[in-house]
Amino acid sequence: MLRRLPTSSRPYLFNQSRPLSVPRARIIPSTRHVHIRAISFSSIPRAMARAFRIPAYGAAIGAGGLGYANYKLEGVRNATSEILTNVSDKFSSVYNTAADGLSSAADIGSSLSAQLQGRLSDTQNGVQDTAEAFKNGTKEWWDAFTSQFATSQDTQSAFDSSSSSGIGSGSGSGSGGRAKEEYSNSRSSERPDESNNNNNNGGEEALLGLVGAATAASISEEKRNDPFSSGSGDEHQLLQLTRKLIEIRSVLLSVDQSEALQLPSIVVIGSQSSGKSSVLEAIVGHEFLPKGDNMVTRRPIELTLINTPSNAASSSSTPSEYGVFPNMPGMGKITSFATIQKTLTDLNLSVPPELAVSDDPIHLQIHSPHVPDLTLIDLPGYIQISSMDQPEELKDKINGLCDKYIREPNIILAVCAADVDLANSPALRASRRVDPLGTRTIGVVTKMDLVKPEQGATIVRGERYPLHLGYVGVVCKAPPTSGVFRSIRGDKEKPNVTGAVLRREEEFFGGENSKYFGRDKKVMVGTDTLRRRLMDVLETSMASSLNGITNAVQIELEEASYQFKVQYNDRRITSESYMAETIDALKARFKEYTAQFTKPAVRSKLKGMLDDKVMDILEKLYWDDPRTLELAKLGEDRKLTPEELDTYWKYKLETASSLLTKSGVGRDSTGLVAEGLRQLIDSIATGEPFTFHPSVSERITEFSHAILRERMGLTADQVENCIKPYKYEVEMDDREWEVGRDRAEEKFGEEIKRCDNKLNEIRGKLGGARKLNGLIKHVAELEKWEVERRKRRLSGGLNATSNSEDEGQVEEGAPVLDAYKYSPAQIIDGRHALLLSNRLNLLKVRQQALKSRRCKTGPDQSAFCPEAFLTVVADKLAYTSTMFINIELLEQFFYQFPREIDSRILYDLNRDEIGKFARENPKIKQHLDLQERKDKLEQVMRSLQGLVNLQKDSKGSLATGSSNRGGLFTKFF
């Protein structure tokens, strides 16, 4: 096959207005193509021109021979393709008749072997003959070149006459029959029994015929494979207008789902197995729709086809063909149509079996240079009955879903099979219900190759069931594009099946069947015709809706502008600005709350914790000791010195100090401050406006706790190391002793007050102080008797006591419990009241000891006043712990937390996440939605206004007659 010549070189090669001056043809042999380049040199002298005319004549012969060889190779390819098609059909037959598999497989194998052997034998002979033809043509060219100087004048005149005859014959070439005629002339020139002149004329005619046929074949092949790659100016304008209206439709769908703001789409309906999927895949050029034995299409598929220039991908990283799911931006551009098919299958199968169908649409955009600008909606196919695994109301659900989409202004593409009577077509029945006149219904008759040609032509004419937009007959049976046949055929990784479909339809509707489907029969057949018909109808419908949609958009825009003015005073915001304001407010609130963690505040918290520990130690070592009252009496003896005090009390003081200093003060104090910081962050992260942003609130809490965990261990170790000296020796001066003693008195006063409050509570429950005193006295007798009873048991009277209790007798001397006077609950309260009363008496005694002259003397009296000594130690521990906690924990946290907010929230979120964050706040979402709606309506209004102005210009040019061709809207207005 010859490659198409550049347009710029044709006038120089086929110029009939003047003789061929000095053409030079260069033949580049290759395995599949012959490249011919013609260059004109008008300034070369005449002698040089004569020298190259004869070589050009010889080159023509060689080109004819090589073209014939390529023709034979094309025959090889066609024969192989036909054989493989037969193989595919044979294997399909074997699969369908598996019962007779073994015998059928043997017959098929022998048949295919004989057929393939015969085809290859014929092809081999043809290639050998063609190689000889090319050899002879080259030899004749060399002989002519060596003798051209001797016979230049005669040869020039002969060449001129033959060139003129060759050009005349070549100008009419362009069809398959003319090319075959030139091939036969070239073939006859190779016979040895003919003269040189006959050979020369045959070679020139072969060259010119091959060039014309190759040019026509290249144009035909280009149009067949890519009908939208070239066209007239009207077609280009048609594509641009349709694309503009589709873009407007997409924007309107994102603004509102109101029927007033909808441009028409093409809705594809039909029964199951009617060929809907084949029609759509033939339009797109790839298999991408879900396939399966059961009903796979369970959701509407809103398909937007976008025609992209074929040279757009060569200058950038954008692929030539790809699909996009707008509602799933994470998938990006999908270049594999098998992946698109699997995604569509998964999305459809996500509908639960008990529902069977869903009205939630799947949005898909396909960008390709081989598709027209169309908006198609594929719906589940009509069924007559439901299967056992489908709900009984499935038929009604599908009918309701289709009725929802085929309402105005959408265009209905009713798909019907040719082998089924149109009277039984559910698609035509549904379209007639909503479109009685058929003004917006296109009938598509599939499987035309299953009926007789005359019957198919009658169906497509639509005389029995007429439609205003007519019927289009298609075959849409593409060759296999996957499996073993695809690997044998050597197709590309992602073949475009449109060209194969168009070739198959050209074979079916042409040839002998052209008498039924020819242009003079006024029937519309072929996928290419269907695509252009859909473009024409869609643009017509969109253009007719232009004025109405413009008025509706104008009304919506005025309403949105009024609301935006009233509610927000035309104040514009963005998701980024809201995010920045929120982060600034978070930092300001954090800085405000950090005032709670100054050194005095932290020291006060630690002192409170250590004071509680001091009280617990005093209760354990002193208050529960019966000899504590003895310590108070020793303190009143002025002659007794600290050195003379019993070592029992000195040991108790050292034990109390060790319990306080070695109780994990570093861990406890650090944990106390860290817990306060956690509560602070939690209160900020769960407050306004983070109540609307749970994910960001969780992220703030997570990284703040991570900072605290990182610093807590180091801080606790530092605090423990710094308070280690106090575990062995505590030094204090008179001032510290006086402060500690005053604080101890204060703490004792608080403890006495709590005891009094609790006693008053029990007194109120019993009904007065007299009843409380009686209950305390009764409980004291019970306690005394219990003590004596335990002593008797230890002394050997256990058996006698047990026997008397078993017999139900009251032991002698036991107090009588009056059940009507004191209930068990009152007995429990009495025990608590007795304990509180004893504690209160002891606290008052120790409070008097703290106020005594001995305790005021100084720290050398610490053994007599353990309360003051332990309070001073607690103050020292709190001061030292605060200093190091502030350095190791607080300052580091206050420094890192704001920076972590910036790095992990403000700078770590992408644009989509920021937009999602802003819309989590209902008030901000309402503001952004109204603002975005207003902006999109303004954008649509500008586009519509431009189209309306273009319409006015077109009308004006038609009225004045300034343009014969008209503008974009000529065919509609």
Side-chain angles (χ1 to χ4, degrees):
M1 185 174 63
L2 295 179
R3 181 171 293 178
R4 182 180 179 184
L5 290 176
T7 306
S8 60
S9 64
R10 295 177 197 164
Y12 299 98
L13 185 60
F14 303 106
N15 191 352
Q16 300 181 11
S17 62
R18 57 188 177 90
L20 293 173
S21 57
V22 187
R24 182 178 65 180
R26 190 174 73 179
I27 305 177
I28 305 174
S30 62
T31 56
R32 297 192 60 182
H33 298 87
V34 176
H35 303 269
I36 298 179
R37 298 179 59 189
I39 307 174
S40 176
F41 299 91
S42 59
S43 62
I44 300 177
R46 187 176 184 82
M48 187 64 68
R50 292 174 181 175
F52 279 94
R53 283 176 180 170
I54 296 303
Y57 152 73
I61 298 176
L66 189 57
Y68 187 76
N70 200 15
Y71 168 73
K72 282 297 184 179
L73 290 177
E74 183 69 17
V76 173
R77 188 180 68 82
N78 294 335
T80 307
S81 177
E82 183 178 355
I83 291 171
L84 292 176
T85 303
N86 292 335
V87 171
S88 174
D89 296 338
K90 293 292 185 180
F91 274 109
S92 299
S93 176
V94 170
Y95 180 81
N96 295 330
T97 60
D100 302 328
L102 295 177
S103 59
S104 299
D107 297 338
I108 291 168
S110 60
S111 175
L112 291 178
S113 176
Q115 186 177 4
L116 184 60
Q117 183 177 2
R119 292 283 186 175
L120 294 180
S121 177
D122 296 341
T123 303
Q124 181 181 3
N125 295 332
V127 172
Q128 291 177 355
D129 295 341
T130 305
E132 292 295 332
F134 179 74
K135 177 181 179 181
N136 293 335
T138 306
K139 184 176 182 301
E140 291 172 2
W141 173 84
W142 177 251
D143 293 339
F145 177 73
T146 55
S147 61
Q148 53 93 15
F149 290 102
T151 58
S152 60
Q153 295 295 334
D154 298 337
T155 306
Q156 178 181 358
S157 60
F159 184 77
D160 291 341
S161 62
S162 63
S163 297
S164 62
S165 63
I167 293 173
S169 62
S171 62
S173 63
S175 64
R178 185 60 180 170
K180 290 180 180 179
E181 181 180 353
E182 299 301 334
Y183 290 146
S184 64
N185 293 336
S186 175
R187 184 63 175 167
S188 65
S189 67
E190 299 171 8
R191 298 173 183 173
D193 57 348
E194 293 185 359
S195 63
N196 260 344
N197 291 334
N198 291 337
N199 289 340
N200 295 345
N201 291 335
E204 292 177 6
E205 291 176 0
L207 170 64
L208 297 176
L210 284 171
V211 170
T215 304
S218 176
I219 297 174
S220 176
E221 186 71 16
E222 181 181 356
K223 289 185 177 181
R224 183 184 296 115
N225 292 330
D226 189 5
F228 304 97
S229 61
S230 61
S232 62
D234 293 338
E235 292 177 351
H236 177 70
Q237 292 177 347
L238 176 68
L239 289 174
Q240 293 298 326
L241 176 59
T242 306
R243 177 178 301 178
K244 194 69 176 177
L245 292 173
I246 289 176
E247 291 175 358
I248 293 174
R249 174 186 176 274
S250 301
V251 176
L252 288 177
L253 287 178
S254 65
V255 170
D256 198 352
Q257 298 296 329
S258 174
E259 295 183 358
L261 298 180
Q262 286 187 359
L263 282 170
S265 302
I266 300 175
V267 181
V268 185
I269 59 173
S271 60
Q272 289 189 12
S273 304
S274 62
K276 294 192 295 81
S277 299
S278 299
V279 171
L280 292 176
E281 289 176 347
I283 293 175
V284 174
H286 292 275
E287 294 184 5
F288 69 99
L289 291 175
K291 300 291 194 306
D293 298 333
N294 204 347
M295 188 182 70
V296 182
T297 304
R298 302 180 180 181
R299 298 170 58 184
I301 302 176
E302 297 190 2
L303 178 64
T304 302
L305 305 182
I306 302 175
N307 181 270
T308 55
S310 58
N311 58 352
S314 61
S315 59
S316 63
S317 59
T318 303
S320 58
E321 291 183 298
Y322 61 91
V324 176
F325 289 91
N327 294 339
M328 294 184 290
M331 299 190 66
K333 298 179 180 179
I334 307 174
T335 57
S336 173
F337 283 84
T339 303
I340 295 177
Q341 186 178 38
K342 183 180 183 303
T343 304
L344 289 175
T345 303
D346 295 340
L347 291 175
N348 278 280
L349 295 181
S350 63
V351 179
E354 58 271 12
L355 296 179
V357 293
S358 172
D359 58 354
D360 184 20
I362 302 172
H363 297 276
L364 173 62
Q365 296 178 355
I366 293 182
H367 301 251
S368 172
H370 310 297
V371 299
D373 288 300
L374 291 175
T375 54
L376 302 166
I377 302 176
D378 185 25
L379 298 175
Y382 290 104
I383 62 172
Q384 298 301 324
I385 58 175
S386 303
S387 61
M388 295 298 295
D389 58 343
Q390 294 174 343
E392 297 180 357
E393 64 275 8
L394 177 59
K395 179 180 178 180
D396 297 333
K397 283 187 175 182
I398 295 177
N399 293 339
L401 179 61
C402 294
D403 291 343
K404 173 184 176 182
Y405 277 92
I406 62 178
R407 292 179 298 184
E408 289 186 322
N410 289 339
I411 302 163
I412 305 172
L413 192 67
V415 180
C416 317
D419 57 344
V420 178
D421 191 358
L422 296 185
N424 298 324
S425 172
L428 289 178
R429 183 166 59 250
S431 64
R432 180 166 293 185
R433 185 171 60 253
V434 297
D435 183 25
L437 301 179
T439 55
R440 55 186 183 90
T441 302
I442 302 176
V444 179
V445 183
T446 60
K447 307 179 182 179
M448 291 286 290
D449 54 341
L450 299 183
V451 297
K452 296 180 179 179
E454 56 271 18
Q455 181 182 353
T458 302
I459 296 174
V460 174
R461 277 193 289 269
E463 296 175 352
R464 295 185 59 188
Y465 308 98
L467 293 175
H468 182 72
L469 300 179
Y471 291 84
V472 181
V474 295
V475 176
C476 294
K477 186 179 180 181
T481 59
S482 61
V484 65
F485 303 106
R486 169 175 160 187
S487 60
I488 295 176
R489 292 171 59 91
D491 289 339
K492 298 179 181 179
E493 181 182 357
K494 294 172 287 188
N496 191 301
V497 301
T498 303
V501 171
L502 296 182
R503 284 192 294 270
R504 185 179 291 271
E505 290 181 337
E506 183 178 352
E507 294 174 0
F508 177 76
F509 294 120
E512 296 180 357
N513 295 338
S514 61
K515 59 184 178 181
Y516 302 106
F517 304 107
R519 294 182 179 273
D520 55 339
K521 302 302 180 181
K522 297 182 180 180
V523 293
M524 295 184 292
V525 292
T527 303
D528 187 20
T529 303
L530 175 61
R531 301 207 298 185
R532 297 183 183 278
R533 183 63 171 162
L534 292 177
M535 292 170 56
D536 193 3
V537 172
L538 181 62
E539 190 204 11
T540 304
S541 179
M542 285 185 172
S544 62
S545 305
L546 189 58
N547 290 330
I549 198 68
T550 302
N551 295 333
V553 170
Q554 181 65 34
I555 294 174
E556 294 290 335
L557 177 58
E558 292 176 355
E559 178 67 20
S561 300
Y562 176 76
Q563 292 181 4
F564 195 66
K565 176 69 175 177
V566 172
Q567 296 182 16
Y568 306 107
N569 196 24
D570 289 336
R571 182 177 63 88
R572 302 183 62 84
I573 64 171
T574 61
S575 301
E576 290 77 8
S577 64
Y578 172 72
M579 169 65 80
E581 291 177 0
T582 304
I583 296 302
D584 291 343
L586 174 63
K587 291 179 181 179
R589 189 178 305 173
F590 175 74
K591 185 177 181 180
E592 178 184 353
Y593 286 179
T594 54
Q596 303 176 7
F597 292 88
T598 59
K599 284 185 179 181
V602 173
R603 190 180 299 117
S604 176
K605 291 288 184 181
L606 295 182
K607 281 185 177 180
M609 179 194 71
L610 293 174
D611 286 343
D612 292 339
K613 283 193 172 186
V614 168
M615 300 302 288
D616 293 338
I617 292 172
L618 290 174
E619 180 180 6
K620 182 178 180 180
L621 295 181
Y622 288 93
W623 300 346
D624 292 341
D625 191 348
R627 296 182 59 183
T628 303
L629 296 177
E630 178 184 345
L631 180 62
K633 294 179 179 180
L634 293 175
E636 294 177 357
D637 188 0
R638 298 181 180 180
K639 297 180 180 181
L640 184 64
T641 61
E643 290 78 8
E644 298 174 350
L645 185 64
D646 191 356
T647 56
Y648 174 80
W649 301 109
K650 294 179 181 180
Y651 174 76
K652 269 189 173 295
L653 183 62
E654 292 177 359
T655 303
S657 178
S658 298
L659 289 176
L660 181 60
T661 56
K662 298 179 182 180
S663 61
V665 176
R667 182 188 65 251
D668 294 341
S669 59
T670 304
L672 178 65
V673 177
E675 183 62 27
L677 289 174
R678 289 193 188 96
Q679 295 178 0
L680 168 65
I681 298 302
D682 292 344
S683 64
I684 295 176
T686 56
E688 289 283 349
F690 292 100
T691 52
F692 306 112
H693 311 296
S695 59
V696 175
S697 175
E698 182 179 356
R699 183 177 296 189
I700 293 173
T701 304
E702 180 180 352
F703 71 72
S704 64
H705 290 181
I707 297 174
L708 291 175
R709 285 193 300 269
E710 180 183 356
R711 302 300 307 176
M712 276 184 62
L714 179 62
T715 304
D717 293 341
Q718 290 290 340
V719 173
E720 288 291 343
N721 292 334
C722 294
I723 65 173
K724 186 177 293 184
Y726 299 120
K727 298 179 181 180
Y728 302 98
E729 184 178 1
V730 179
E731 296 181 358
M732 59 186 69
D733 54 18
D734 293 341
R735 185 189 62 82
E736 292 174 342
W737 176 265
E738 186 64 24
V739 172
R741 191 184 64 81
D742 293 341
R743 183 169 179 80
E745 289 184 14
E746 181 181 354
K747 296 297 294 182
F748 268 79
E750 295 175 358
E751 188 69 19
I752 292 172
K753 186 176 181 181
R754 283 195 291 269
C755 290
D756 283 336
N757 292 335
K758 190 63 180 177
L759 282 174
N760 292 333
E761 181 181 348
I762 296 175
R763 187 182 298 113
K765 290 173 61 177
L766 294 176
R770 185 175 62 85
K771 291 185 177 180
L772 176 61
N773 293 332
L775 178 61
I776 291 175
K777 183 178 179 181
H778 181 74
V779 171
E781 293 178 356
L782 289 176
E783 292 288 341
K784 183 179 179 181
W785 180 81
E786 286 291 340
V787 172
E788 294 176 355
R789 181 168 174 265
R790 284 194 294 270
K791 290 181 180 180
R792 287 197 300 270
R793 285 184 178 181
L794 294 175
S795 62
L798 180 60
N799 293 332
T801 305
S802 299
N803 293 334
S804 63
E805 287 180 355
D806 292 340
E807 295 174 358
Q809 298 177 359
V810 178
E811 187 177 354
E812 183 179 357
V816 179
L817 179 61
D818 192 350
Y820 294 98
K821 188 174 183 180
Y822 301 111
S823 63
Q826 290 177 337
I827 296 297
I828 295 175
D829 290 338
R831 294 181 185 277
H832 291 163
L834 178 61
L835 179 62
L836 290 172
S837 178
N838 295 334
R839 174 68 57 83
L840 185 60
N841 294 331
L842 182 61
L843 289 175
K844 289 180 178 181
V845 171
R846 296 308 306 163
Q847 187 181 32
Q848 292 295 327
L850 287 172
K851 293 179 180 181
S852 65
R853 182 176 298 178
R854 182 180 288 275
C855 285
K856 290 180 180 180
T857 303
D860 56 338
Q861 305 294 329
S862 56
F864 294 96
C865 304
E867 298 86 358
F869 176 78
L870 293 176
T871 303
V872 174
V873 174
D875 288 345
K876 287 181 174 293
L877 294 175
Y879 182 85
T880 306
S881 300
T882 301
M883 182 171 55
F884 284 91
I885 287 175
N886 184 73
I887 295 174
E888 298 293 340
L889 179 63
L890 293 176
E891 289 187 358
Q892 292 295 326
F893 184 81
F894 295 158
Y895 175 81
Q896 292 185 18
F897 182 74
R899 287 156 181 80
E900 291 293 329
I901 292 176
D902 292 338
S903 62
R904 300 199 183 191
I905 298 179
L906 190 61
Y907 302 138
D908 190 48
L909 300 180
N910 56 35
R911 186 176 297 273
D912 294 336
E913 291 174 336
I914 292 177
K916 181 181 179 181
F917 171 83
R919 292 182 181 277
E920 289 176 347
N921 191 333
K923 295 181 180 179
I924 302 300
K925 180 180 183 300
Q926 184 179 2
H927 192 166
L928 289 174
D929 288 345
L930 183 58
Q931 178 178 298
E932 182 180 359
R933 176 183 173 84
K934 178 176 174 291
D935 294 342
K936 289 184 176 180
L937 288 174
E938 289 176 350
Q939 174 188 349
V940 171
M941 196 62 201
R942 287 192 297 268
S943 301
L944 290 174
Q945 193 61 44
L947 294 178
V948 171
N949 294 337
L950 187 59
Q951 172 189 351
K952 294 179 180 178
D953 295 342
S954 301
K955 287 184 177 180
S957 62
L958 288 176
T960 57
S962 60
S963 175
N964 294 329
R965 295 179 60 189
L968 299 180
F969 292 86
T970 301
K971 64 172 71 176
F972 311 119
F973 305 100

